[in-house]
Amino acid sequence: MKRQAIALLALSSALVAVPALAQSATPAARPMSIEDLLTLKRVGAPVASPDGKWVIYQQTDTDPQSYKRTTGLWRIAAKGGTAERIADLTDASESDPAFSPDGRKLYFLSAKSGSSQIWLLDLASPGAAPVQASSFKADVSGFKLSPDGTKIMAWGDVARDCPTLGCDSDGDTTKPGPGTGRHYKDGAGFVRHWDAWETHGNYSRGFAFALGADGKVADKGISLDGPAGVLTGDTPTKPHGGGEELAWTADSKGAWFIARQADRNEPLSTNTDLWHAPLDGGTPHNITEANKATDTLPTPSPDGKWLAYAAMARPGYESDRLAVRLVNFATREEKTLTADWDRSVASLAWTPDSKYLIATAQDVMDTPAFRIDPATGKVERLRLMPKGMSEGHIANVVPLKNGGLLFTRDGVGSPAEVWIADRPGKPARQLSRANEGQLAALAPIESRRYSFAGADGATVWGQIHKPAGTTGKLPVLLFIHGGPQGSYNDSWSWRWNPRVFASQGYAVVSVDFHGSTGYGQAFTDAINRDWGGKPLVDLQKGLEAALKLDSALDGEKTCALGASYGGYMTNWIAGQWPDRFRCLVQHDGVFDARAMAYETEELWFDEWEHGGKPYFEAPEEYEKWNPVNHVAKWKTPMLVITSEKDFRIPYTQGLASFAALQRRGIPSELLIFPDENHWVLKPKNSKQWHQTVFAWLDRWLRK
């Protein structure tokens, strides 16, 4: 009884309304629709001109009839005003803007020529048209200008033995012919990864090129990975690495980059290393060879005195805490700067004066910015948003010369927009307003955070989202996040979006169960070897807590939905909590842990989660929480969704779930996409996904 009283006190005291950006609506506001989700503009990648007067960002627009997406560049004065489209190439997209150090040129990527290449716009010549600055044989995936503006680093997929960015042969050795078969030999390592079959001999590689007086690429370049024999692997790392994994040295004479050896052990290894390339034609040097866990985010200080990067401590664990490491080039001293800060950094950037590091990290249900003192390791959470607004999800942080910050901010109620904080301690101002008009026409939602005593009495956080001004009872959707080391925090999602679900007349409840991120490493670690244990208890208690908190929630009309680990939990709920829900939606979830152990590609993940051993050494670890063992207890109607290009949790897991449901005579449906991976990304597929899910929910919850 005492613990229950404490839990109820926590519930009432932690209940907060979270205002969402741009949720003021017109009197005739309508509920948000699937089409709204698909056509809202996607804003990102802001950069500031060296003189601080201008900001350029990229914006992706979706045609409401064809759903074709195009990305363009927009410029706005840093003091505010109306944004204007610049560097517009007919029938092409432009992305990844970057100012030259002198501010006279704007570089960006475009496929206007038929392949992705670097382009530039001469800002010093009013009315000038963009010109192509590179003509590589390979597509350019990304680039970075050197601090002195004389060189450019570019990367893309090329043969390992190719001396520049693209050769006549792509280097792929897996298709020897004469047929269409792929042939992988002993020790191949990855055979497929995320959504693509591996092409051994072809890797993402970086090169440094000189720039001519006209700003264009002027030579064949020097590879970062050096001659074959020392390092063979992808930089940036695949499938999700980007420009944050490469950086110029402060003197523009070398480069830092992240790579992992592509060999037999790669499917078992989280050992991404930090390499230094001297750019003299020699071999790169691995400066983190001693650490067999993840190293990432190389961030040299502008004054050349320091190198910051992020590192994990435990090999094989992809969700270990990312702590900030700091190298002092003068003394050769290296230390963990944030050893006493129990948060995992998501990004790093130096202030232009090299006095502070600015990091972002999940913190309970926000992802705010933090200022870190390199001398003491002191971490200060920055309050950037105006009073009454949560920090939400802050990203793409660019420290400015005047001490301010340029960044994007999104939240559960609105997608990302560009913001600028003019100086420390002053609330930020919204610069871009790409979605202001469309959002103003939509009825807002109400979002509330709450906490409760979960498994083992631990404090667990959740959220409730519902249409604003609700007067009657609302059916309840329990959202279960993936990862499992993830969070349903205050951030926008283009896939599992609480606002669009709530706008259909539902209350959306989410719970950050044991294993979630942003609550300290021990809480994240707690799911290890316990997939169906504490997280299920948290979900059960979290749902009941939400029902007690908000009388508008109809506990008799509930459905549980989840993807990835959330899909696994949906399968687990079908056998362990079979009488609670009227329906289930299971997307890309694990159905049979034994099959998963041999079918997935990143073996390190599945083995770590089950005690660090493969299935054949410890089958009991996998079978303890295996949904397939409890199919005899299944009774709840389920919609199963999967995709044929999902190599993380292969689509056969979804087929097996559906077969079990059909064999038991349980009402069920199967939606399978032949051209999607673990995520449904294509606009028309996303529309079909939402239509199918909404129809399924209506069938069981509108009675």
Side-chain angles (χ1 to χ4, degrees), residues 37 44 60 67 78 83 110 175 191-192 236 249 251 259 317 360 401 428 483 496 517 528 558 572 577 682 685:
L37 180 65
T60 300
Y67 296 108
S110 178
K175 296 180 180 178
V191 171
R192 56 184 191 175
T249 57
D251 61 7
Y317 185 22
T360 58
K401 291 179 181 179
W496 289 80
T517 49
N528 187 254
T558 61
W572 187 246
W577 201 10
K682 295 179 173 61
N685 287 345

Side-chain angles (χ1 to χ4, degrees), residues 129-364:
V131 296
Q132 190 171 333
S134 73
S135 299
F136 302 120
K137 289 185 177 180
D139 284 325
V140 180
S141 299
F143 70 93
K144 285 197 171 183
L145 292 162
S146 64
D148 65 7
T150 65
K151 305 180 185 74
I152 193 167
M153 186 192 311
W155 55 91
D157 291 351
V158 298
R160 181 58 184 89
D161 59 2
C162 183
T164 188
L165 192 51
C167 291
D168 291 336
S169 171
D170 64 6
D172 182 6
T173 62
T174 65
K175 296 180 180 178
T180 60
R182 296 183 179 93
H183 186 183
Y184 295 94
K185 298 182 180 180
D186 180 45
F190 279 124
V191 171
R192 56 184 191 175
H193 199 185
W194 188 244
D195 60 4
W197 290 91
E198 285 293 294
T199 55
H200 296 153
N202 178 281
Y203 303 94
S204 179
R205 301 175 59 212
F207 297 83
F209 302 91
L211 293 175
D214 59 0
K216 299 180 180 180
V217 172
D219 64 5
K220 293 185 177 180
I222 298 174
S223 68
L224 273 60
D225 53 5
V230 173
L231 171 63
T232 296
D234 294 306
T235 184
T237 57
K238 292 185 177 181
H240 303 307
E244 73 282 355
E245 294 187 351
L246 302 96
W248 284 96
T249 57
D251 61 7
S252 302
K253 295 180 180 179
W256 305 99
F257 67 97
I258 303 297
R260 175 177 54 211
Q261 291 283 2
D263 56 19
R264 174 190 294 272
N265 297 318
E266 190 175 14
L268 294 167
S269 173
T270 59
N271 186 21
T272 57
D273 279 311
L274 172 53
W275 297 75
H276 174 255
L279 301 182
D280 59 3
T283 58
H285 173 60
N286 183 357
I287 73 165
T288 59
E289 187 173 7
N291 183 28
K292 303 305 179 183
T294 295
D295 301 290
T296 189
L297 303 180
T299 312
S301 63
D303 63 9
K305 295 180 179 180
W306 306 90
L307 173 67
Y309 67 97
M312 295 182 181
R314 289 174 282 183
Y317 185 22
E318 66 178 37
S319 297
D320 199 8
R321 183 168 69 97
L322 268 175
V324 180
R325 298 278 293 171
L326 191 65
V327 179
N328 184 324
F329 288 127
T331 65
R332 299 295 178 182
E333 176 191 8
E334 183 172 351
K335 63 180 179 180
T336 299
L337 187 61
T338 57
D340 298 327
W341 184 41
D342 196 13
R343 291 296 183 264
S344 191
V345 297
S347 67
L348 285 175
W350 286 93
T351 56
D353 59 10
S354 299
K355 290 184 177 180
Y356 294 99
L357 279 161
I358 305 297
T360 58
Q362 291 182 14
D363 189 28
V364 185

Side-chain angles (χ1 to χ4, degrees), residues 649-664:
I649 300 179
Y651 74 95
T652 49
Q653 293 277 323
L655 294 180
S657 294
F658 185 63
L661 291 158
Q662 291 285 291
R663 186 65 183 85
R664 284 190 49 75

